[in-house]
Amino acid sequence: MLNLWRHRLGELPEFVWARGELEVLILADNGLTELPDSIGRLSRLGTLDLGHNRLASVPDELGDLVGLGDFLYLHDNELSELPESLGNLTRLRYLNVGENALITLPRTIGRMAGLVELRAQHNRLTALPEGIGSLRRLRELCLRGNQIEALPSSMAGLCELRHLDLRENALPELPAVLASLPRLRHLDVRGNHVTHLPDWLPALPALEKLDLRWNPCEPSAELRDELERRGCVVLF
């Protein structure tokens, strides 16, 4: 393990790339503006933390870290896109790309079959790639603070999804694809543009919490009673 958190490096010393035995590399909060292609040499990495820097891009060689199986932190940078090579990280369980300037996620994201948690909060996303529905192990998806207006129909494949955070987006309604998520427990749609609620909501078998605050809608007494009778807390 090499922990260089808050060392104010500005740029990375060459000795880092000679540490081929590294399994955990923490480079967070160093004012880094670029990441060299040499990152691809660290083939034994399981965790890589590049959060809280000033990276405007990351190299394609990030996708060479096929042993990366635990955590990849890219949050709080200045990224406007991610390399398609990220799809090679099929063992990765946790990916945080929040607090950037991403307009889209890689089309190859569906190949990241090991993902359990994906965080893409506070970006500029307006839509999600169809491939996201291939993340069959995904349990938590955070999309708060984007500009998403609809969800792809492929999301019906997220059969393990428990927590979906869509707070502060631009949804005009609850997407019908959500009705296909058998294990969804927490659905947060605060601060969208939802004006009415669909009849299929009480049919979600695992729903425990539905947060509707700051939307121009209010559930009918019948719908609210039915949800609460089934043990779902409704906030509006």
Side-chain angles (χ1 to χ4, degrees), residues 98-114:
E99 289 86 35
N100 279 288
L102 299 174
I103 298 172
T104 186
L105 296 175
R107 291 172 300 169
T108 56
I109 199 164
R111 288 164 41 197
M112 302 178 74

Side-chain angles (χ1 to χ4, degrees), residues 4 12-13 23 36 39 44 52 60 66 69 73 79 85 93 96 104 116 131 155 161 164 174 180 194 209 222-223:
L4 296 174
L12 295 171
E23 297 179 2
I39 187 68
R44 296 185 62 183
H52 306 296
D60 288 342
V66 293
Y73 299 94
L79 301 171
S85 63
R93 290 169 54 81
N96 190 342
T104 186
V116 174
M155 282 185 61
L161 194 66
L164 179 57
L174 293 186
S180 303
V194 178
K209 182 179 179 181
E222 294 79 11
L223 180 61

